[in-house]
Amino acid sequence: MTDPGLVVVDKPSGMTSHDVVARIRRLAGTRKVGHAGTLDPMATGLLILGVGAATRLLGYVGGHDKTYGATIRLGQSTVTDDREGEVLTTASAAHLDDDALRTALAAQTGPLQQVPSSVSAVKVDGRRSYDRVRAGEVVELAARSVTVHRLEVHRIERPTPELVDVDVTVVCTAGTYIRAIARDAGAALGVGGHLTALRRTTSGPFTVTGAAPVEEAGAALLAGGGAGFLPLADAATTVFPVRALTEDEARALAYGQRIPATGAPGPHAAVDPSGRLAALVEDSGSTARVAVGFPPA
């Protein structure tokens, strides 16, 4: 079995997030592989996977703010809110000037109550919403609180007299659906909207520039290092502040004992003198306790 760590993939269009997980499972020789933050099959870009003990980091990794580049097409709505779905409605966007487009998109910033697409990966009574839709069910998902910190318009183009394509960058909280931004802006303008392109470029401290194609990232995993793979200790110290342990503190944590407080809020990566990740620790009063343990293999 390969060493635990995070595999940082630049996902191509056409693969599901589960396809990438399945590929890494085969390479790693373990089913203990998960990912932080689903990307739609159409989407490309940053997908972070955990292998082995590093799967315990994914809950923290997935909660980071994210950045996306996207192209929003106004003048058509689709069943999936992206280009892969059947067109539901068409309405000419020829009458909309650039200021109207920018105003509608600006309204999709700040705290939002956003309804995910019915063909999203949200679970409804234990089943993915998209599976229920494909089975012929009508699914209505509840709105969720998200925040769009920033939405920048880079280019406005009119590929036909009736359609408008808008290139944007979106910085948002985890759980935000960029497809829903396109849908809701199009609805507000009365012409419909959907995504024709989506690329995730950052998630917390991770960027797509540090990612690798699936096969290259898998090769780095097998080699124990290289572009697209972060061994466990490197992964943890990328996400969390470091708490350097003494030998005595490392021994205490191994026995489930507490150590002196770090003096700062939130989890810290507790690294022993050999450079091994011993635990994630968190202050509780005057001491630090183990939040997630990583005992020696």
Side-chain angles (χ1 to χ4, degrees), residues 171-226:
V171 182
C172 55
T173 55
T176 302
Y177 283 89
I178 312 304
R179 285 184 294 170
I181 292 175
R183 176 199 66 205
D184 294 346
L189 290 164
V191 298
H194 68 281
L195 286 186
T196 61
L198 180 65
R199 181 168 176 77
R200 183 156 65 203
T201 56
T202 74
S203 178
F206 299 96
T207 71
V208 76
T209 56
V214 179
E215 296 301 325
E216 291 180 22
L221 167 66
L222 294 177

Side-chain angles (χ1 to χ4, degrees), residues 119-143:
V119 291
S120 68
V122 173
K123 285 189 176 181
V124 180
D125 295 330
R127 288 180 62 202
R128 299 290 186 188
S129 179
Y130 54 67
D131 288 333
R132 290 183 175 275
V133 171
R134 288 168 185 160
E137 297 181 36
V138 176
V139 178
E140 293 184 8
L141 299 175

Side-chain angles (χ1 to χ4, degrees), residues 67-71 154 167-170 178 195 197-201:
T67 305
Y68 296 88
T71 300
H154 300 295
D167 290 345
V168 299
T169 295
V170 180
I178 312 304
L195 286 186
L198 180 65
R199 181 168 176 77
R200 183 156 65 203
T201 56

Side-chain angles (χ1 to χ4, degrees), residues 2-292:
T2 55
D3 292 335
L6 294 181
V7 180
V8 187
V9 170
D10 186 347
K11 188 188 87 65
S13 182
M15 289 186 81
T16 67
S17 298
H18 184 72
D19 289 339
V20 180
V21 168
R23 177 60 180 151
I24 297 301
R25 279 175 174 165
R26 288 194 295 272
L27 288 171
T30 178
R31 290 197 58 79
K32 198 170 184 181
V33 179
H35 67 79
T38 302
L39 275 179
D40 296 328
M42 181 195 81
T44 68
L46 186 64
L47 183 66
I48 302 169
L49 291 80
V51 177
T55 55
R56 301 175 201 167
L57 301 176
L58 293 177
Y60 298 95
V61 172
H64 288 303
D65 286 354
K66 296 171 173 57
T67 305
Y68 296 88
T71 300
I72 296 171
R73 172 158 290 179
L74 298 166
Q76 293 176 331
S77 66
T78 72
V79 67
T80 57
D81 301 326
D82 64 25
R83 70 167 191 252
E84 297 193 324
E86 177 186 352
V87 175
L88 292 176
T89 65
T90 60
S92 176
H95 64 287
L96 298 172
D97 62 21
D98 289 4
D99 286 344
L101 301 173
R102 291 178 184 276
T103 298
L105 289 168
Q108 296 298 314
T109 61
L112 302 173
Q113 288 296 308
Q114 191 181 69
V115 178
S117 168
S118 61
V119 291
S120 68
V122 173
K123 285 189 176 181
V124 180
D125 295 330
R127 288 180 62 202
R128 299 290 186 188
S129 179
Y130 54 67
D131 288 333
R132 290 183 175 275
V133 171
R134 288 168 185 160
E137 297 181 36
V138 176
V139 178
E140 293 184 8
L141 299 175
R144 55 172 61 187
S145 297
V146 301
T147 300
V148 175
H149 301 300
R150 190 169 78 251
L151 191 157
E152 298 176 3
V153 174
H154 300 295
R155 183 181 66 95
I156 298 173
E157 187 176 72
R158 299 175 188 269
T160 74
E162 290 78 28
L163 298 175
V164 181
D165 287 346
V166 186
D167 290 345
V168 299
T169 295
V170 180
V171 182
C172 55
T173 55
T176 302
Y177 283 89
I178 312 304
R179 285 184 294 170
I181 292 175
R183 176 199 66 205
D184 294 346
L189 290 164
V191 298
H194 68 281
L195 286 186
T196 61
L198 180 65
R199 181 168 176 77
R200 183 156 65 203
T201 56
T202 74
S203 178
F206 299 96
T207 71
V208 76
T209 56
V214 179
E215 296 301 325
E216 291 180 22
L221 167 66
L222 294 177
F229 179 66
L230 285 172
L232 183 58
D234 292 344
T237 56
T238 298
V239 178
F240 304 101
V242 178
R243 167 67 185 269
L245 300 173
T246 65
E247 291 284 4
D248 288 344
E249 289 171 339
R251 191 176 304 110
L253 289 181
Y255 285 113
Q257 299 169 358
R258 296 194 176 204
I259 59 175
T262 61
H268 285 62
V271 178
D272 72 16
S274 72
R276 190 186 72 83
L277 178 68
L280 299 183
V281 297
E282 198 160 7
D283 284 359
S284 178
S286 62
T287 61
R289 61 176 182 81
V290 173
V292 182

